[in-house]
Amino acid sequence: EVAAFECLKMSREAMRNFHKKGGIKNIVEKVNDHSFYFLSRRDLKVTGFKHREWRQLVVWKKEGENKLIVCYNDTDALEETHPRDPNVVVASARTTWEYERLPEVDGIPQTRVKLVARVDVAGSVPTFVMNRLVRSVGKSLISMRKKFDKS
């Protein structure tokens, strides 16, 4: 359930939250049963900053019965169908999520989530902006926990 939450980028709830958090454009194109292209344009909400866009290939793979790995990597595969906007800065990221099903506790499902990320929003970005962006990642992890907490 938690892993599916990460892969459902176009659900109504995900789109509502995306726009609340400065999201401008969100495109998901299925490649096959284990991957999709993900184009995401965001407003960093800093006066004078151009919008940032990430163009990524998302791939997921089950490892054994209890583990799922989801990787986001930069891609140029969307160039033909979605040309770059010269007024938007293309950012870069590599993100890996690992979801591991743990034994239930008192009948309540448990999942361990690990996140490793490298993000380059491109350009000269002041420290206060980067600190705010890092806090937003933490907030998204907290909201995931609240959504699935059944204790």
Side-chain angles (χ1 to χ4, degrees), residues 1-15 26-38 57-62 67-72 95-99 113 144 147-148:
E1 187 178 10
V2 176
F5 174 75
E6 175 61 24
C7 293
L8 293 174
K9 297 291 185 189
M10 296 302 281
S11 70
R12 286 186 198 102
E13 181 181 359
M15 290 306 293
N26 205 17
I27 296 172
V28 176
E29 291 182 4
K30 182 178 177 179
V31 175
N32 59 41
D33 288 342
H34 289 275
S35 62
F36 59 88
Y37 293 121
F38 181 49
L57 172 64
V58 182
V59 178
W60 62 93
K61 179 183 179 193
K62 282 188 80 171
K67 195 178 284 189
L68 178 75
I69 309 290
V70 182
C71 296
Y72 289 71
T95 309
T96 302
W97 293 82
E98 180 182 287
Y99 301 92
V113 178
M144 179 191 292
K147 179 175 180 61
F148 294 101

Side-chain angles (χ1 to χ4, degrees), residues 72-131:
Y72 289 71
N73 290 300
D74 294 331
T75 184
D76 291 326
L78 297 167
E79 293 298 320
E80 194 172 303
T81 55
H82 303 284
R84 294 178 194 252
D85 181 335
N87 297 313
V88 173
V89 176
V90 177
S92 173
R94 180 180 175 109
T95 309
T96 302
W97 293 82
E98 180 182 287
Y99 301 92
E100 182 179 3
R101 182 182 305 142
L102 302 174
E104 291 186 356
V105 174
D106 296 328
I108 299 172
Q110 305 291 308
T111 303
R112 175 182 293 133
V113 178
K114 294 180 186 176
L115 167 65
V116 178
R118 185 226 16 102
V119 179
D120 179 0
V121 294
S124 180
V125 181
T127 302
F128 79 91
V129 174
M130 291 307 298
N131 288 342

Side-chain angles (χ1 to χ4, degrees), residues 14-66:
M15 290 306 293
R16 218 176 11 258
N17 289 332
F18 174 75
H19 293 297
K20 282 182 191 174
K21 297 177 184 178
I24 296 168
K25 184 177 184 180
N26 205 17
I27 296 172
V28 176
E29 291 182 4
K30 182 178 177 179
V31 175
N32 59 41
D33 288 342
H34 289 275
S35 62
F36 59 88
Y37 293 121
F38 181 49
L39 186 149
S40 176
R41 184 176 299 168
R42 296 176 179 270
D43 180 356
L44 298 182
K45 298 187 180 195
V46 177
T47 304
F49 272 45
K50 291 183 176 183
H51 296 158
R52 297 306 198 263
E53 186 171 88
W54 285 264
R55 294 163 167 263
Q56 299 186 300
L57 172 64
V58 182
V59 178
W60 62 93
K61 179 183 179 193
K62 282 188 80 171
E63 286 193 352
E65 290 294 313
N66 296 318

